[in-house]
Amino acid sequence: MSTKLVPSLCPYCAVGCGMYLVVEKDKAIGIEYMTDHPACEGALCPKGNAVLEVLNHEERLKYPMKKVGEEFVRISWEEALDLAAYGLARNIKKHGPKSLGFLASSRCNNEENYLMQKLSRLLGSPHVDNCARLCHSPTVVGLGAVLGTGAMTNNLIDLQNSKCIFAIGTNFTEAHPIVSRWAQKAKDNGAMVIVADPRITSTSWMADLHLRINPGSDIDLLRGMMKVIVDEGLADKKFIEERTEGFAELQANLRDYSPEKAAELTGVPAGQIVQAARAYARSCASSLLYSMGITQHVCGTDNVKACATLALICGQIGRPGAGVWPMRGQNNVQGNCDMGGMAELYPGYRRASDPKSVEFFKAAWNAKDLPLGPGLTSTEMTDAALQGSIKALYIIGEDPIVCDANINKTKAALESLDFLVVQEIFMTATARMADLVLPAAAWAEKDGSYTSMERRVQWIDRAVAPAGEAKEGLWIINEIGKRMGLDLKGGSAADVLEEINRTVPQYGGMTRERISKVGGLRWPCPDEGHPGTDILHRERFSTPNGKARIASVENRPAGEQTCSEYPMLLSTGRIVVHYNSGSMTRRCPSLLERDFELYVDINPKDAAELKVHHGDMVKVKTLRGETQARARVTEKVKPGMAFMPFHWQGTNIITSDALDPVAKIPEYKMAACRIEAMA
Ligand code: SF4
């Protein structure tokens, strides 16, 4: 029997690990490690090792279905595509194009996402968004505002060159496990590791210094460190003068602040703040890593700006081992944002509010008109559906009924729609609410490129046949477009990539041939002679005048405060064996074996007061509702704090949907809650 090895990628997180699929008779029967892959060197975490359990799963959606009454009925592709086009067109006719909303997918490839936003905008709706709204929209806008580019400045492997790793609001050893290889290499080479996190995590275990901050006090801590750095003359004056603006305002902003004040606000002893500040500023190459512990707050954008500002005043950016590493979530969330799958941005980060962006794409797409100005974000589309202005949604590979904050509200919003079409690989909670379900090919069943968190763009060829009658997302979007009178030019992923090469400057030189090589290329890569870019901002920042804009920010209160009725603070996050909504990993036996049910971490002191024992089922209640979870009594959380992983639907029933006013991200990390023992 002949077998072949087909290069592929892990479909889970944004580390973008490579692997080979062992293919026999158009079916994947095994994986082999890709030891020459530059981000993972052959390593995979438990999720990556279990990819075949999801690819070959018997519950994969295999044919299109429409809802009749409460049941789904199998239909042909012809009928499905006609229904999709009719459902969208009907609402355009009745309510105008802005009654449509589109959710692109950070699990899908660049070409599909490019085509999705093109469909939305050519139909006249600016309302296209993606799940970056729920994880790293503050990175796009916050890092973009300060550095000019909202992306990781260095590459993952470069972490090993750091002499001081400062990780704030990221449990990367669980959320992005392969990153810990490079962090550990740095540590083995003598780097100091500082972790700021309210919880004890597997990442804090590797820290030389764990700053156990109060939840929501990140800006207070960062300002405390900056104050020490400025007062002790540790700031990099030359770098500040030559490459930044806004330092005088920052000095004024910090004038009356002190490490002692920071200690009061953060709960971290002043001595530790001083120690962290000195270590970060003095090392010859410091890296700053952050993730959703920074972004998922009402002040998420300011949190990101404060992180970038700390790096700037120390000159810890634009060199090997020195930079800002936002740890993005899904496998192609970076690419989706690059492709314009965001309400405020056309492809290539051209602002939707800039008439020049519209003119550029009118010419590129041969379009008479395109929407000017930002559309509604995914979080705003929920409210708009409830208010009746969004009537139809086309969702690809996203599961808002598990992932949104306050999902009862999202559920009500989806119920209020006239038409919901969901394109998926499994019957998710969101798909169950749809009028029409379109079965999609999974990552290994289609051609296309993905962009990892380190701006690495990698092309993979179709390795195996799609499950049942499932089709490539590109084909589905293109066919719907055709039925609505549009020529999206989405005949193949290669065709769409060629268009991307012309319209997205960062991808100008990323031909299929070049990005098919192991490890692909890293953007910006403006032309075919360009080798790609390892480290951003070496000489200048991507702002109009080339200077970074130092931000002077101050903390703001959380969206909701604890009170006598809800006296504890609930935070949420990832665990190593599950991913996002769990629609894939909760179907994998080898992963479920390790963690199979929703749990809540409670400090022993609280557990004693609540008369809860380790292993008891408890109710967790917030203003938005209640859920049940298994109690884990542990010192990992501080007294007064609770933690739940977000891979089960129960968690986001109760999370807070208070939004950051700029990035519109919900404050998943701060919900006032009450825990009750169950009889
Ligand atoms: Fe690599 Fe992330 Fe996949 Fe794990 S989940 S194998 S870290 S890409």
Side-chain angles (χ1 to χ4, degrees), residues 10 12-13 15-17 44-45 47-48 176-178:
C10 174
Y12 287 112
C13 89
V15 173
C17 297
L44 295 173
C45 79
K47 297 186 289 291
H176 306 95
I178 298 305

PDB file of all heavy atoms in Angstrom, residues 10 12-13 15-17 44-45 47-48 176-178, ligand 1:
ATOM      1  N   CYS A  10      -0.622  22.512  12.254  1.00  0.00           N
ATOM      2  CA  CYS A  10      -1.580  22.258  13.327  1.00  0.00           C
ATOM      3  C   CYS A  10      -2.735  23.262  13.188  1.00  0.00           C
ATOM      4  O   CYS A  10      -2.502  24.453  12.953  1.00  0.00           O
ATOM      5  CB  CYS A  10      -0.902  22.416  14.680  1.00  0.00           C
ATOM      6  SG  CYS A  10      -2.071  22.299  16.041  1.00  0.00           S
ATOM      7  N   TYR A  12      -4.789  24.325  15.437  1.00  0.00           N
ATOM      8  CA  TYR A  12      -5.265  24.913  16.697  1.00  0.00           C
ATOM      9  C   TYR A  12      -4.687  26.311  16.938  1.00  0.00           C
ATOM     10  O   TYR A  12      -5.193  27.273  16.404  1.00  0.00           O
ATOM     11  CB  TYR A  12      -4.976  23.962  17.856  1.00  0.00           C
ATOM     12  CG  TYR A  12      -5.881  22.751  17.850  1.00  0.00           C
ATOM     13  CD1 TYR A  12      -5.377  21.479  17.589  1.00  0.00           C
ATOM     14  CD2 TYR A  12      -7.240  22.875  18.070  1.00  0.00           C
ATOM     15  CE1 TYR A  12      -6.210  20.368  17.574  1.00  0.00           C
ATOM     16  CE2 TYR A  12      -8.085  21.782  18.054  1.00  0.00           C
ATOM     17  CZ  TYR A  12      -7.564  20.527  17.806  1.00  0.00           C
ATOM     18  OH  TYR A  12      -8.396  19.446  17.789  1.00  0.00           O
ATOM     19  N   CYS A  13      -3.630  26.419  17.701  1.00  0.00           N
ATOM     20  CA  CYS A  13      -3.269  27.778  18.134  1.00  0.00           C
ATOM     21  C   CYS A  13      -2.348  28.482  17.147  1.00  0.00           C
ATOM     22  O   CYS A  13      -1.864  27.898  16.179  1.00  0.00           O
ATOM     23  CB  CYS A  13      -2.688  27.758  19.545  1.00  0.00           C
ATOM     24  SG  CYS A  13      -0.911  27.516  19.634  1.00  0.00           S
ATOM     25  N   VAL A  15       0.649  29.439  17.252  1.00  0.00           N
ATOM     26  CA  VAL A  15       2.083  29.154  17.159  1.00  0.00           C
ATOM     27  C   VAL A  15       2.407  28.700  15.733  1.00  0.00           C
ATOM     28  O   VAL A  15       3.464  28.995  15.190  1.00  0.00           O
ATOM     29  CB  VAL A  15       2.511  28.088  18.200  1.00  0.00           C
ATOM     30  CG1 VAL A  15       3.960  27.667  17.989  1.00  0.00           C
ATOM     31  CG2 VAL A  15       2.342  28.641  19.618  1.00  0.00           C
ATOM     32  N   GLY A  16       1.449  27.978  15.127  1.00  0.00           N
ATOM     33  CA  GLY A  16       1.626  27.578  13.725  1.00  0.00           C
ATOM     34  C   GLY A  16       2.601  26.434  13.533  1.00  0.00           C
ATOM     35  O   GLY A  16       3.370  26.410  12.562  1.00  0.00           O
ATOM     36  N   CYS A  17       2.562  25.442  14.431  1.00  0.00           N
ATOM     37  CA  CYS A  17       3.491  24.306  14.329  1.00  0.00           C
ATOM     38  C   CYS A  17       3.249  23.522  13.037  1.00  0.00           C
ATOM     39  O   CYS A  17       2.104  23.297  12.638  1.00  0.00           O
ATOM     40  CB  CYS A  17       3.307  23.362  15.510  1.00  0.00           C
ATOM     41  SG  CYS A  17       3.697  24.119  17.093  1.00  0.00           S
ATOM     42  N   LEU A  44       5.184  19.021  19.110  1.00  0.00           N
ATOM     43  CA  LEU A  44       3.759  19.344  19.093  1.00  0.00           C
ATOM     44  C   LEU A  44       3.238  19.197  20.512  1.00  0.00           C
ATOM     45  O   LEU A  44       3.722  18.345  21.267  1.00  0.00           O
ATOM     46  CB  LEU A  44       2.978  18.390  18.184  1.00  0.00           C
ATOM     47  CG  LEU A  44       3.269  18.405  16.682  1.00  0.00           C
ATOM     48  CD1 LEU A  44       2.518  17.271  15.998  1.00  0.00           C
ATOM     49  CD2 LEU A  44       2.892  19.744  16.056  1.00  0.00           C
ATOM     50  N   CYS A  45       2.249  19.980  20.866  1.00  0.00           N
ATOM     51  CA  CYS A  45       1.641  19.829  22.189  1.00  0.00           C
ATOM     52  C   CYS A  45       0.547  18.749  22.099  1.00  0.00           C
ATOM     53  O   CYS A  45       0.306  18.191  21.029  1.00  0.00           O
ATOM     54  CB  CYS A  45       1.105  21.176  22.664  1.00  0.00           C
ATOM     55  SG  CYS A  45      -0.468  21.635  21.935  1.00  0.00           S
ATOM     56  N   LYS A  47      -2.594  18.819  21.843  1.00  0.00           N
ATOM     57  CA  LYS A  47      -3.625  19.080  20.827  1.00  0.00           C
ATOM     58  C   LYS A  47      -3.092  18.754  19.437  1.00  0.00           C
ATOM     59  O   LYS A  47      -3.764  18.138  18.616  1.00  0.00           O
ATOM     60  CB  LYS A  47      -4.085  20.547  20.886  1.00  0.00           C
ATOM     61  CG  LYS A  47      -4.751  20.926  22.184  1.00  0.00           C
ATOM     62  CD  LYS A  47      -5.305  22.332  22.149  1.00  0.00           C
ATOM     63  CE  LYS A  47      -4.248  23.410  22.170  1.00  0.00           C
ATOM     64  NZ  LYS A  47      -3.502  23.551  23.423  1.00  0.00           N
ATOM     65  N   GLY A  48      -1.862  19.199  19.173  1.00  0.00           N
ATOM     66  CA  GLY A  48      -1.264  18.938  17.871  1.00  0.00           C
ATOM     67  C   GLY A  48      -1.104  17.448  17.619  1.00  0.00           C
ATOM     68  O   GLY A  48      -1.282  16.963  16.499  1.00  0.00           O
ATOM     69  N   HIS A 176      -0.009  28.324  24.719  1.00  0.00           N
ATOM     70  CA  HIS A 176       0.839  28.220  23.519  1.00  0.00           C
ATOM     71  C   HIS A 176       2.051  27.369  23.899  1.00  0.00           C
ATOM     72  O   HIS A 176       3.191  27.876  23.951  1.00  0.00           O
ATOM     73  CB  HIS A 176       1.299  29.610  23.059  1.00  0.00           C
ATOM     74  CG  HIS A 176       0.171  30.574  22.844  1.00  0.00           C
ATOM     75  ND1 HIS A 176      -0.253  31.467  23.802  1.00  0.00           N
ATOM     76  CD2 HIS A 176      -0.637  30.763  21.783  1.00  0.00           C
ATOM     77  CE1 HIS A 176      -1.267  32.168  23.328  1.00  0.00           C
ATOM     78  NE2 HIS A 176      -1.530  31.760  22.117  1.00  0.00           N
ATOM     79  N   PRO A 177       1.824  26.079  24.161  1.00  0.00           N
ATOM     80  CA  PRO A 177       2.851  25.281  24.846  1.00  0.00           C
ATOM     81  C   PRO A 177       4.224  25.275  24.187  1.00  0.00           C
ATOM     82  O   PRO A 177       5.242  25.251  24.887  1.00  0.00           O
ATOM     83  CB  PRO A 177       2.252  23.872  24.830  1.00  0.00           C
ATOM     84  CG  PRO A 177       0.785  24.078  24.685  1.00  0.00           C
ATOM     85  CD  PRO A 177       0.621  25.309  23.849  1.00  0.00           C
ATOM     86  N   ILE A 178       4.277  25.337  22.862  1.00  0.00           N
ATOM     87  CA  ILE A 178       5.589  25.215  22.212  1.00  0.00           C
ATOM     88  C   ILE A 178       6.456  26.443  22.488  1.00  0.00           C
ATOM     89  O   ILE A 178       7.691  26.368  22.465  1.00  0.00           O
ATOM     90  CB  ILE A 178       5.409  24.951  20.699  1.00  0.00           C
ATOM     91  CG1 ILE A 178       4.661  23.626  20.494  1.00  0.00           C
ATOM     92  CG2 ILE A 178       6.735  24.939  19.955  1.00  0.00           C
ATOM     93  CD1 ILE A 178       5.281  22.406  21.174  1.00  0.00           C
TER      94      ILE A 178
HETATM   95 FE1  SF4 B   1       1.679  23.909  18.246  1.00  0.00          FE
HETATM   96 FE2  SF4 B   1      -0.341  25.377  19.132  1.00  0.00          FE
HETATM   97 FE3  SF4 B   1      -0.793  23.171  17.727  1.00  0.00          FE
HETATM   98 FE4  SF4 B   1       0.096  22.985  20.196  1.00  0.00          FE
HETATM   99  S1  SF4 B   1      -1.880  23.823  19.572  1.00  0.00           S
HETATM  100  S2  SF4 B   1       0.861  21.863  18.430  1.00  0.00           S
HETATM  101  S3  SF4 B   1       1.464  24.774  20.311  1.00  0.00           S
HETATM  102  S4  SF4 B   1       0.196  25.044  16.986  1.00  0.00           S
END
